[in-house]
C-alpha cells in the first residue's frame, strides 16, 4: 500500500509540473503575439498621424495658392469647403450601401414614402388616431358584429 501512495504523490507532482510548463508556454506565446500586435498598432498610429499632418500641409498649400488671387478669408473659406466636401464623400464611401432585391424599371418595389403627421413638429404626437390598415369596406361595423362568431379570422 505504501508503494501506491508513493506513486500517487509522483502523479500529482507530474501533473503540477506539466500544468506549470503549459502555463509558461501559453504566457510566452501570448507575450510574443501581443508584442507583434503592439508593433503593428504603433505603426498604424504613426502612419495616421503623418497622414493627418500631410493633409494639413496640403490644405495649407491649397489655401496659400488660392490666397494669391483672392482675399485670405475667401481662400480659407474655399479650402474649408473643399475639405468638407471630401469628408462627406469619404463618409458616404465608408457606409455600407443596401443592395436592392430587384433592379427593374417602374415595377421595382419601392417602400412607401414616410409622411410626417401633424404633431411631428411639436413632438406631442398625432392630434388624431391613425387610420386602420383595412379599407372601409372590409372593416367590421358595430351593427354587423355577431357575438357568437369567433373573434379571429382564419
Amino acid at each position: 500500500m505504501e508503494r501506491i501512495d508513493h506513486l500517487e504523490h509522483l502523479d500529482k507532482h507530474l501533473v503540477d509540473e506539466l500544468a506549470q510548463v503549459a502555463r509558461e508556454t501559453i504566457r510566452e506565446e501570448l507575450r510574443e503575439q501581443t508584442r507583434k500586435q503592439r508593433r503593428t498598432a504603433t505603426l498604424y498610429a504613426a502612419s495616421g498621424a503623418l497622414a493627418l499632418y500631410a493633409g494639413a500641409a496640403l490644405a495649407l498649400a491649397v489655401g496659400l495658392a488660392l490666397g494669391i488671387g483672392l482675399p485670405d478669408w475667401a481662400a480659407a473659406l474655399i479650402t474649408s469647403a473643399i475639405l468638407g466636401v471630401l469628408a462627406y464623400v469619404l463618409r458616404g464611401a465608408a457606409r455600407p450601401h443596401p443592395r436592392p432585391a430587384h433592379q427593374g424599371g417602374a415595377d421595382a418595389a419601392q417602400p412607401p414614402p414616410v409622411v410626417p403627421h401633424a404633431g411631428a413638429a411639436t413632438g406631442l404626437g398625432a392630434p388624431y388616431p391613425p387610420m386602420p390598415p383595412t379599407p372601409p369596406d372590409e372593416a367590421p361595423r358595430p351593427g354587423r358584429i355577431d357575438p357568437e362568431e369567433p373573434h379571429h379570422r382564419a
Side-chain angles (χ1 to χ4, degrees):
M1 203 57 155
E2 194 174 302
R3 183 178 166 111
I4 293 176
D5 290 338
H6 181 66
L7 289 176
E8 283 181 12
H9 175 69
L10 286 177
D11 286 346
K12 184 177 183 218
H13 180 68
L14 183 62
V15 168
D16 290 342
E17 194 172 324
L18 283 173
Q20 183 177 357
V21 168
R23 278 194 297 267
E24 289 173 2
T25 304
I26 291 172
R27 263 193 211 123
E28 186 60 36
E29 183 67 29
L30 288 175
R31 277 191 197 118
E32 186 176 330
Q33 287 179 0
T34 304
R35 194 175 304 122
K36 288 179 184 177
Q37 290 174 350
R38 191 180 308 135
R39 181 175 184 273
T40 302
T42 303
L43 290 174
Y44 273 119
S47 171
L50 290 177
L52 179 68
Y53 283 116
L58 178 65
L60 178 65
V62 168
L64 290 175
L66 288 173
I68 292 172
L70 297 171
D72 291 341
W73 65 268
L77 186 64
I78 292 171
T79 304
S80 65
I82 291 170
L83 290 174
V85 167
L86 285 174
Y88 183 77
V89 168
L90 289 175
R91 180 181 144 258
R95 287 190 171 187
H97 298 288
R99 294 184 175 208
H102 175 335
Q103 295 183 6
D107 63 315
Q110 295 290 329
V114 176
V115 180
H117 52 78
T122 62
L124 299 176
Y128 49 85
M131 294 296 292
T134 59
D137 297 354
E138 298 175 16
R141 296 193 179 149
R144 290 203 274 164
I145 295 177
D146 184 11
E148 301 295 320
E149 184 180 347
H151 294 287
H152 64 279
R153 293 185 182 198

